[in-house]
Amino acid sequence: MVRKVFIIDDDDISLYLTTLVLEQAEFANEICMYTSADDALADLPLTPNASLPDIILLDLNMPHKSGWDFLDILRPYEEVLKGKLDVFILTSSIAVSDQEQSREYPLVRGFLHKPIDEESLAFVRHTRQGRA
């Protein structure tokens, strides 16, 4: 079981459904929900020995700060965060360009489509187990 998951999504229904699926699957001990990247960043300790979430499920299309903006803010901390937290894009976007762009971020371990389901959770588990 994963210790802590952050879900960052401006859509309340998506937050609810994602949380419901995670809870039903007993996927994580703690689920933190954020409707903005700024709120999540405020709760994300970016220091070497901080207690980080294991997984961030990140929506791309949000007002004010997008998922891309969030990832850009994390860029200077990638070495500190790599191997400690994994970001999975969780989006309704079907644009191939978004999938390609997500590969430019070392913290992004996968690209998932909404709504999240058991198959997506299996992919997340498998990807995390295969971490080098």
Side-chain angles (χ1 to χ4, degrees):
M1 181 181 286
V2 172
R3 188 183 50 78
K4 185 190 279 188
V5 174
F6 277 19
I7 307 168
I8 308 170
D9 194 325
D10 64 310
D11 179 44
D12 289 332
I13 294 172
S14 291
L15 274 174
Y16 172 77
L17 291 174
T18 301
T19 301
L20 185 65
V21 170
L22 293 176
E23 287 174 347
Q24 287 178 342
E26 297 181 351
F27 187 80
N29 291 327
E30 184 179 355
I31 300 169
C32 303
M33 298 177 288
Y34 302 93
T35 56
S36 77
D38 284 329
D39 290 345
L41 285 166
D43 278 358
L44 188 63
L46 297 173
T47 57
N49 296 319
S51 177
L52 297 164
D54 300 302
I55 294 173
I56 296 176
L57 299 175
L58 178 65
D59 186 26
L60 293 177
N61 299 312
M62 296 182 286
H64 187 59
K65 272 195 182 72
S66 70
W68 301 121
D69 295 331
F70 179 86
L71 291 169
D72 287 338
I73 290 167
L74 294 185
R75 275 225 192 258
Y77 305 97
E78 285 174 346
E79 286 304 313
V80 172
L81 300 174
K82 195 166 184 182
K84 296 179 182 174
L85 86 87
D86 295 321
V87 177
F88 290 85
I89 304 296
L90 181 60
T91 184
S92 56
S93 171
I94 58 170
V96 174
S97 61
D98 283 341
Q99 289 181 341
E100 291 170 356
Q101 185 176 353
S102 73
R103 292 185 192 111
E104 296 174 15
Y105 295 90
L107 295 176
V108 175
R109 304 275 289 158
F111 196 93
L112 309 170
H113 293 283
K114 292 180 186 179
I116 199 165
D117 57 17
E118 268 297 325
E119 187 176 326
S120 297
L121 293 181
F123 170 78
V124 170
R125 284 185 186 107
H126 177 75
T127 301
R128 286 186 47 79
Q129 288 172 351
R131 181 187 336 188

